[in-house]
């Protein structure tokens, strides 16, 4: 059933190091006087959306930005803690563009596209330059130069950081650049607006239907191109480190209009989160990966010690399982490996805390070696956050952590130009699938979001828009806009009309539980098949028995949620289909049937070295799988080893 | 634990009034917002409209949550956003009063939700460095002393929540505005536009209808990121200096 023909990655010819240079110098351009006549819609105002919108505005396009937040500064990029990678080699420790490229490919378990990843590594240095010029207060050394730390999956220090709030500072940098363009009139900001559909005219993306969240009105907005920078879909699991409003709706609605959804089963489970404490829990809180620079993961060697106070368990009775299993990388193995290792020791009955689903992250050695002051300077805010949530002091007692859903590598399929399979529809940042393969390395999400927005899209979108200089403004009175608006309205009316007994939240929780149990850190054929059946039943129940209070013509957060959860259910099913289809383990996708004797992920490069791109075929129809074969011209593909 | 909640409701059938709710089974490990989730689940089950409140990241960084709890912006704990307040700080039988952030420049949208877009407009009036994408020099060509970078960071840590305004008897936005002015005025990158920035941002702040500062310093006391009023002093200095010396060339 799989077809390869429809997918053209459009990676330029030539040697890997020249591809992007060649592209940039030969791509068609839009002249300044013509840019004024072109409208670009950007959905999302996080790192990718804000940086793209600001850069496109600077270039002279008319940009409209949509966010469901009350301000573009609230996007969830703001919560990224640890840092941003860049191949600056400021530490003189052997870093290079090639090494960042190579480590990203390897970290992604050889499931990403070489051309895209090399470009990412190439522009990484420019991002740091740009952000510093904007006034982002990165950490400095006493000589006034930039400081770095190291992150998982690498053996160099290339992570730039701003205390534990790097995402916040980078987002505020992009928000300030965006604000400047709003003031200049090149960008019009639509706060509290949520995209409900993308509108295609003659097969091209020509606008969106957005819902004004304050009045409930549906609005039509036309544009010559649409950029989705709407983030990831981790909230399909209900509990995740994502913010409460993060959702898949923009991407999913685009998918239903013809944009293929790639590798939906690649989800990243972050190893260091504060464990779940009860049924009422609404979200999980991440503790930055940077903590693994100085914190040591351990569990008791003997299950009977698990309930003891950790400080009463002597050294000899502790199992520093990451250092034991992966001596070369120790506590800094990539996220997927660290998460599975934690799960494995907990499954063995050696987990700690009241639920037995936690491991210790211990700073006692670091405090002895460096002193409490240094540890506080590095991680003070994270320690405080832990203490507020967990009610324990991590300077005195090791943190309890457990893996949690954090990031989604899958997303809308895009080509080298970040265009989806719908002409004129682009996807940037976490919303696309492009750069991280089956597993993302720490501090690479910020890098990718900003690379896409500042340095990739502004170039690639011009190639497409150069054909639109004589199109003129896109009319929103066309039958296509009318039909799309009607679809959205019908769907809203249908949801409001159900008048059932169960809350939206309760359905979301149930969906999350199915996903976590059966499509979470470890998956198997039987579980996935069960999950598909259960999700279908849950979806049917949802459309019969959900209750959405309030009305459509007012501020109604329950209705917003109801629309998002409906899309999560459809996505959840596709994730399970994709996970079922990929009969191998790679990166964040671990199929229990496919593992080495030591319990490591066992890839099958012969049959599965492709990106799986799913095509929507209509309501209640099986989606069609298209395969983009991954060719490795430069990197030698091998089994990942961090031992 | 059992709690009594007195919550401000406004919009729809409510003209603007406190409505009392009872919660019978609150777990001490819940966050404050999870406690409100439980209330809303309860209301949905009774087919009543849930209480509208804003929230998003629930880890204290997005600045979306905005409740005045028992008269204090973001609740009883120092340096903490509403979402990071946990119920272990309350006891069985407590009554908790919950209101929106109140200020003329923050009109109420519904219940506990207010419009803070005035903050965005203050930033748009000059809270940035004018540098286009692609123009930047190598990052290490701009050395910045660790201490200066740290001070600038302290100001840049503002999450734009508006607690400073809610806490101020004059509903002044001086702490918010001064935090951005300090962040950029302390850095070499911010020097070129330094004078015009402070003049423009202060003008916009006044235009939005925020009150004047009378040195109460409640803003610093309630700021979840503990931004110092030192920034207000710096802004006043910057403003004075710019008023006397800034010239449009």
């Amino acid at each position: 059933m799989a077809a390869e023909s429809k997918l053209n990655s459009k990676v330029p010819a030539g040697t890997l190091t020249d591809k992007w240079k060649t592209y940039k110098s030969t791509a068609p351009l839009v002249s300044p006087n013509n840019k004024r006549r072109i409208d670009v819609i950007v959905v999302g105002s996080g790192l990718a959306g804000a940086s793209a919108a600001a850069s496109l505005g600077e270039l002279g396009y008319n940009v409209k930005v949509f966010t469901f937040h009350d301000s573009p500064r609230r996007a969830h990029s703001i919560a990224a803690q640890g840092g941003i990678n860049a191949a600056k080699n400021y530490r003189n420790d052997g870093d290079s563009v090639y090494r960042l490229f190579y480590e990203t490919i390897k970290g992604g378990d050889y499931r990403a596209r070489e051309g895209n990843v090399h470009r990412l590594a190439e522009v990484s240095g420019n991002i740091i330059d740009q952000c510093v010029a904007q006034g982002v207060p990165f950490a400095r050394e006493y000589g006034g130069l930039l400081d770095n730390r190291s992150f998982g999956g690498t053996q160099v220090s290339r992570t730039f950081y701003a205390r534990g709030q790097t995402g916040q500072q980078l987002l505020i940098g992009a928000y300030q650049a965006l604000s400047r363009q709003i003031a200049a009139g090149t960008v019009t900001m639509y706060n509290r607006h949520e995209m409900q559909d993308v509108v295609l005219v003659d097969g091209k993306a020509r606008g969106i239907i957005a819902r004004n969240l304050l009045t409930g009105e549906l609005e039509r907005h036309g544009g010559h191109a649409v950029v989705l920078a709407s983030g990831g879909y981790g909230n399909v699991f209900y509990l995740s480190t994502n913010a409460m409003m993060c959702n898949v709706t923009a991407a999913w609605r685009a998918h239903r209009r013809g944009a293929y959804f790639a590798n939906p089963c690649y989800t990243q489970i972050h190893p260091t989160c504060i464990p779940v404490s009860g049924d009422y829990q609404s979200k999980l809180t991440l503790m930055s990966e940077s903590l693994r620079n100085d914190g040591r993961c351990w569990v008791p060697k003997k299950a009977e010690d698990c309930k003891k106070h950790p400080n009463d368990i002597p050294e000899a009775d502790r199992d520093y399982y990451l250092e034991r299993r992966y001596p070369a990388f120790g506590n800094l193995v990539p996220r997927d490996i660290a998460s599975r290792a934690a799960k494995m020791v907990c499954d063995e009955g050696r987990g700690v805390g009241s639920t037995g689903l936690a491991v210790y992250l211990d700073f006692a050695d670091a405090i002895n070696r460096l002193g409490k002051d240094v540890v506080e300077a590095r991680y003070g805010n994270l320690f405080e956050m832990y203490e507020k949530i967990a009610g324990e002091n991590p300077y005195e007692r090791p943190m309890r952590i457990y893996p949690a859903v954090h990031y989604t590598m899958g997303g809308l399929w895009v080509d080298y130009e970040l265009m989806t399979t719908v002409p004129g529809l682009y996807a940037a940042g976490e919303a696309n699938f492009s750069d991280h393969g089956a597993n993302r390395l720490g501090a690479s999400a910020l890098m990718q979001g900003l690379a896409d927005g500042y340095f990739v899209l502004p170039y690639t979108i011009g190639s497409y828009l150069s054909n639109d200089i004589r199109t003129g403004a896109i009319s929103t009175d066309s039958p296509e806009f009318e039909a799309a608006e009607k679809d959205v309205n019908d769907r809203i009316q249908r949801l409001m009309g159900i008048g059932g007994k169960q809350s939206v939240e309760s359905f979301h929780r149930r969906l999350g539980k199915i996903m976590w149990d059966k499509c979470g850190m470890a998956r198997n054929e039987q579980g996935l098949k069960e999950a598909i059946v259960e999700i279908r039943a849950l979806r049917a129940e949802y459309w019969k028995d959900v209750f959405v209070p309030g009305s459509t013509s007012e501020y109604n957060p329950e209705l917003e949620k109801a629309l998002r959860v409906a899309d999560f259910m459809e996505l959840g099913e596709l994730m399970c289909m994709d996970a079922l289809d990929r009969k191998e383990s790679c990166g964040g996708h671990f199929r229990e049937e496919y593992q080495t004797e030591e319990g490591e992920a066992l890839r099958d490069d012969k049959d599965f070295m492709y990106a799986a791109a799913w095509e929507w075929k209509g309501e209640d129809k099986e989606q069609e799988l298209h395969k983009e074969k991954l060719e490795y011209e430069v990197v030698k593909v091998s089994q990942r080893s961090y031992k | 634990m059992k709690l009594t909640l007195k919550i401000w409701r406004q919009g729809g059938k409510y003209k603007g009034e406190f409505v009392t709710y009872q919660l019978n089974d609150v777990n001490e490990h819940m966050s404050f917002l999870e406690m409100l989730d439980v209330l809303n689940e309860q209301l949905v089950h009774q087919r009543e409209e849930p209480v509208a409140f804003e929230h998003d990241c629930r880890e204290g960084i997005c600045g979306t949550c905005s409740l005045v709890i028992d008269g204090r912006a973001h609740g009883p704990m120092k340096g903490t956003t509403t979402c990071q307040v946990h119920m272990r700080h309350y006891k069985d039988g407590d009554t908790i009063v919950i209101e929106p952030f109140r200020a003329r420049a923050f009109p109420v949208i519904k219940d506990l939700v207010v419009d803070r877009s005035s903050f965005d407009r203050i930033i748009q009036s000059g809270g940035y460095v004018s540098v286009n994408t692609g123009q930047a020099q190598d990052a290490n060509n701009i050395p910045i002393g660790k201490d200066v970078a740290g001070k600038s960071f302290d100001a840049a840590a503002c999450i734009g929540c508006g607690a400073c305004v809610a806490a101020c008897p004059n509903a002044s936005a001086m702490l918010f505005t001064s935090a951005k002015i300090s962040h950029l005025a302390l850095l070499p990158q911010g020097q070129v536009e330094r004078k015009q920035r402070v003049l423009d941002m202060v003008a916009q702040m006044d235009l939005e209808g925020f009150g004047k500062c009378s040195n109460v310093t409640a803003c610093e006391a309630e700021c979840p990121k503990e931004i110092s009023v030192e920034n207000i002093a710096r802004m006043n200095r910057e403003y004075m200096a710019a008023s006397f010396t800034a010239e449009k060339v």
Side-chain angles (χ1 to χ4, degrees):
Chain A
M1 67 167 181
E4 282 174 40
S5 54
K6 286 196 189 169
L7 296 172
N8 177 2
S9 67
K10 290 201 243 157
V11 176
T15 56
L16 188 61
T17 49
D18 289 333
K19 286 179 194 293
W20 181 233
K21 287 191 201 105
T22 312
Y23 181 91
K24 281 196 294 184
S25 38
T26 55
L29 298 174
V30 180
S31 68
N33 57 332
N34 283 327
K35 288 196 182 101
R36 287 196 288 276
R37 296 181 204 152
I38 290 183
D39 303 318
V40 181
I41 287 173
V42 178
V43 180
S45 66
L47 286 181
S51 61
S55 304
L56 293 170
E58 289 160 10
L59 286 170
Y61 294 106
N62 292 314
V63 185
K64 292 179 174 183
V65 181
F66 294 82
T67 173
F68 51 69
H69 287 105
D70 69 320
S71 160
R73 68 180 296 154
R74 312 266 187 236
H76 195 54
S77 306
I78 206 152
Q81 297 168 354
I84 175 166
N85 288 328
K88 282 286 199 186
N89 193 30
Y90 282 164
R91 317 311 298 173
N92 194 30
D93 59 359
D95 198 9
S96 64
V97 167
Y98 181 82
R99 208 178 278 274
L100 173 53
F101 154 75
Y102 170 75
E103 287 176 346
T104 306
I105 291 277
K106 178 187 173 192
D109 220 354
Y110 306 94
R111 290 292 177 265
R113 203 186 278 151
E114 273 191 340
N116 287 54
V117 176
H118 198 272
R119 174 179 64 192
L120 176 68
E122 280 174 67
V123 304
S124 64
N126 301 95
I127 298 171
I128 304 304
D129 299 342
Q130 186 64 31
C131 295
V132 167
Q134 291 169 342
V136 170
F138 282 119
R140 303 258 164 188
E141 295 175 323
Y142 282 104
L145 302 184
L146 290 157
D147 194 13
N148 293 107
R149 53 169 64 142
S150 45
F151 254 62
T154 71
Q155 287 172 312
V156 295
S157 289
R158 65 160 75 93
T159 305
F160 295 79
Y161 66 101
R163 292 190 197 153
Q165 286 128 278
T166 316
Q168 181 202 22
Q169 295 305 319
L170 294 176
L171 182 65
I172 286 175
Y175 161 73
Q176 289 175 188
L178 178 67
S179 296
R180 177 171 161 247
Q181 293 309 305
I182 295 170
T186 60
V187 173
T188 311
M189 192 67 220
Y190 293 85
N191 294 331
R192 299 189 191 270
H193 277 67
E194 185 158 15
M195 181 191 127
Q196 293 297 331
D197 212 343
V198 59
V199 182
L200 273 61
V201 180
D202 298 330
K204 293 177 178 172
R206 290 301 199 190
I208 63 168
I209 306 294
R211 184 167 179 272
N212 178 328
L213 300 181
L214 291 184
T215 63
E217 256 172 287
L218 296 181
E219 298 175 5
R220 304 175 189 181
H221 293 274
H224 297 87
V226 176
V227 178
L228 301 184
S230 47
Y233 50 86
N235 269 352
V236 67
F237 291 91
Y238 186 73
L239 285 180
S240 81
T241 66
N242 285 189
M244 302 300 286
M245 292 197 284
C246 292
N247 68 78
V248 77
T249 289
W252 192 255
R253 293 285 123 191
H255 174 55
R256 291 174 55 113
R257 294 282 180 194
Y260 294 2
F261 208 106
N263 300 332
C265 78
Y266 291 165
T267 47
Q268 177 162 81
I269 315 284
H270 196 290
T272 49
C273 300
I274 301 177
V276 178
S277 61
D279 302 333
Y280 51 79
Q281 197 141 350
S282 59
K283 83 153 263 156
L284 297 171
T285 303
L286 175 78
M287 290 280 102
S288 167
E289 173 157 317
S290 60
L291 292 170
R292 286 197 278 141
N293 271 299
D294 289 305
R296 301 176 70 195
C297 292
W298 65 274
V299 288
K301 282 184 178 163
K302 294 175 278 190
E304 59 266 30
D305 286 350
C306 289
K307 298 290 169 211
K308 283 190 189 163
H309 191 291
N311 297 350
D312 295 339
I313 301 173
E315 272 304 304
D317 290 339
R318 299 176 177 191
D319 177 13
Y320 294 90
Y321 56 93
L322 288 175
E323 296 165 37
R324 170 173 60 79
R325 288 177 61 188
Y326 307 101
F329 282 71
N331 290 294
L332 283 174
V333 290
R335 293 177 174 175
D336 54 334
I337 292 179
S339 290
R340 273 201 300 279
K343 180 179 190 299
M344 198 184 270
V345 293
C346 291
D347 287 350
E348 287 166 15
R350 295 191 286 141
V352 298
S354 59
T355 59
L357 290 176
V359 300
Y360 289 123
L361 182 63
D362 197 335
F363 291 87
D365 277 2
I367 292 168
N368 284 336
R369 189 176 75 242
L370 304 163
K372 193 181 161 193
D373 291 352
V374 175
V375 171
E376 190 174 345
R378 284 185 191 168
Y379 311 113
N381 65 318
L382 298 170
F383 278 38
E384 262 177 49
M385 190 157 138
Y386 179 84
E387 188 167 2
K388 275 179 193 159
I389 295 171
E392 289 172 4
N393 179 353
Y395 292 103
E396 287 161 11
R397 183 188 174 120
M399 285 183 182
R400 284 174 295 111
I401 53 156
Y402 197 66
V405 175
H406 179 55
Y407 185 88
T408 51
M409 283 73 69
L412 293 175
W413 185 91
V414 290
D415 63 19
Y416 190 73
E417 298 181 314
L418 305 184
M419 201 198 286
T420 67
T421 47
V422 173
L425 180 68
Y426 292 78
E430 192 179 349
N432 74 30
F433 88 115
S434 73
D435 294 349
H436 307 296
N439 174 56
R440 178 175 66 74
L441 292 181
S444 284
L446 302 184
M447 171 173 69
Q448 186 226 334
L450 290 179
D452 287 358
Y454 284 133
F455 296 109
V456 179
L457 256 177
Y459 287 92
T460 61
I461 206 166
S463 309
Y464 176 80
L465 293 172
S466 64
N467 296 313
D468 261 325
I469 53 177
R470 291 202 171 73
T471 307
I474 303 295
S475 162
T476 56
D477 295 327
S478 62
E480 290 87 348
F481 272 92
E482 196 134 317
E485 187 185 317
K486 183 173 181 303
D487 285 353
V488 173
N489 193 40
D490 288 350
R491 186 163 175 263
I492 291 172
Q493 297 304 337
R494 200 178 145 206
L495 264 175
M496 296 298 297
I498 297 168
K501 287 192 207 59
Q502 302 177 64
S503 68
V504 175
E505 202 76 7
S506 65
F507 279 101
H508 195 181
R509 270 179 211 275
R510 283 163 68 191
L511 174 68
K513 181 150 176 28
I514 300 172
M515 294 302 293
W516 178 248
D517 288 348
K518 294 177 175 168
C519 195
M521 247 190 298
R523 298 127 182 219
N524 61 51
E525 185 180 335
Q526 194 200 339
L528 289 165
K529 285 182 170 162
E530 287 166 8
I532 291 168
V533 174
E534 289 169 32
I535 294 169
R536 282 181 186 160
L538 188 69
R539 210 168 83 212
E541 191 181 332
Y542 184 76
W543 285 98
K544 270 196 216 107
D545 198 35
V546 75
F547 172 61
V548 185
S551 80
T552 55
S553 55
E554 61 174 336
Y555 178 68
N556 187 346
E558 284 293 312
L559 173 59
E560 294 168 28
K561 248 189 330 196
L563 289 160
R564 294 170 192 156
V565 171
D567 288 331
F568 275 135
M569 291 199 196
E570 297 182 8
L571 167 79
E573 184 180 329
L574 182 65
M575 288 169 69
C576 295
M577 300 283 284
D578 187 45
L580 191 60
D581 194 75
R582 190 167 283 280
K583 296 181 182 64
E584 64 159 352
S585 294
C586 59
H589 169 65
F590 190 76
R591 280 282 297 263
E592 286 168 349
E593 303 94 317
Y594 310 103
Q595 54 180 304
T596 65
E597 275 174 26
E598 295 112 17
E600 306 292 347
L602 187 61
R603 288 200 325 264
D604 176 353
D605 292 338
K606 193 166 103 359
D607 295 322
F608 291 95
M609 199 177 273
Y610 60 78
W614 297 86
E615 181 185 4
W616 176 263
K617 303 296 274 185
E619 216 72 58
D620 297 321
K621 296 211 177 96
E622 293 267 312
Q623 303 210 19
E624 184 179 345
L625 172 64
H626 301 268
K627 298 175 181 177
E628 181 201 341
K629 199 160 183 302
L630 298 168
E631 316 267 2
Y632 289 93
E633 292 169 8
V634 174
V635 171
K636 192 174 161 290
V637 177
S638 59
Q639 200 202 334
R640 273 194 315 174
S641 170
Y642 292 95
K643 287 184 190 288
Chain B
M1 62 180 107
K2 283 190 179 31
L3 294 174
T4 304
L5 304 174
K6 294 191 171 183
I7 301 181
W8 182 261
R9 305 226 46 181
Q10 181 172 340
K13 68 173 179 178
Y14 302 102
K15 287 267 178 291
E17 61 196 276
F18 283 100
V19 179
T20 304
Y21 300 97
Q22 299 292 335
L23 277 183
N24 293 329
D25 191 17
V26 176
N27 181 308
E28 59 161 11
H29 295 298
M30 280 179 187
S31 72
F32 197 88
L33 298 184
E34 284 166 348
M35 181 271 292
L36 289 181
D37 290 342
V38 171
L39 171 68
N40 276 347
E41 272 293 293
Q42 196 172 300
L43 291 175
V44 171
H45 276 285
Q46 294 161 3
R47 300 185 105 64
E48 275 186 56
E49 218 178 317
V51 178
F53 64 95
E54 287 206 284
H55 61 94
D56 196 29
C57 78
R58 298 203 175 190
E59 47 189 280
I61 194 73
C62 73
T64 309
C65 59
S66 48
L67 304 180
V68 172
I69 303 168
D70 289 334
R72 294 190 59 187
H74 288 304
M77 295 160 66
K78 197 169 161 48
T80 305
T81 54
T82 301
C83 65
Q84 298 295 82
V85 173
H86 282 71
M87 298 315 292
R88 64 180 78 97
H89 303 289
Y90 292 89
K91 57 182 193 307
D92 190 44
D94 276 356
T95 297
I96 306 173
V97 180
I98 308 171
E99 298 165 82
F101 281 5
R102 294 187 194 274
R104 195 196 327 164
F106 288 171
V108 172
I109 291 171
K110 186 176 183 180
D111 298 341
L112 304 170
V113 178
V114 298
D115 178 359
R116 287 168 284 181
S117 55
S118 44
F119 271 15
D120 283 336
R121 291 188 292 274
I122 292 174
I123 299 297
Q124 286 157 19
S125 70
Y128 44 75
V129 175
S130 296
V131 51
N132 281 2
T133 303
Q135 292 179 328
Q137 57 181 323
D138 186 86
N140 260 351
N141 285 348
I142 314 172
I144 303 170
K146 194 179 170 72
D147 294 343
V148 172
K151 267 230 170 324
S152 172
F153 185 101
D154 289 341
C158 169
I159 57 175
C161 64
C164 46
V165 175
C168 177
N170 312 322
S172 168
M174 293 282 269
L175 192 64
F176 169 78
T177 309
S178 69
K180 186 49 63 193
I181 283 164
S182 288
H183 161 209
L184 297 174
L186 283 163
L187 295 174
Q189 300 94 307
Q191 295 312 305
V192 175
E193 299 163 285
R194 180 173 176 176
K195 292 176 181 174
Q196 200 56 45
R197 177 183 303 119
V198 67
L199 295 176
D200 290 346
M201 289 181 72
V202 169
Q204 185 67 37
M205 177 181 83
D206 291 342
L207 197 66
E208 295 290 347
F210 290 104
K212 305 288 180 200
C213 175
S214 51
N215 296 320
V216 177
T217 71
C219 51
E220 179 185 298
E222 301 292 53
C223 173
K225 297 296 151 185
E226 303 182 78
I227 309 269
S228 166
V229 290
E230 195 183 281
N231 293 300
I232 296 182
R234 184 179 293 105
M235 179 170 81
N236 287 335
R237 277 201 310 278
E238 294 280 325
Y239 186 79
M240 287 295 274
S243 305
F244 289 126
T245 63
E247 294 170 43
K248 292 241 179 183
V249 183

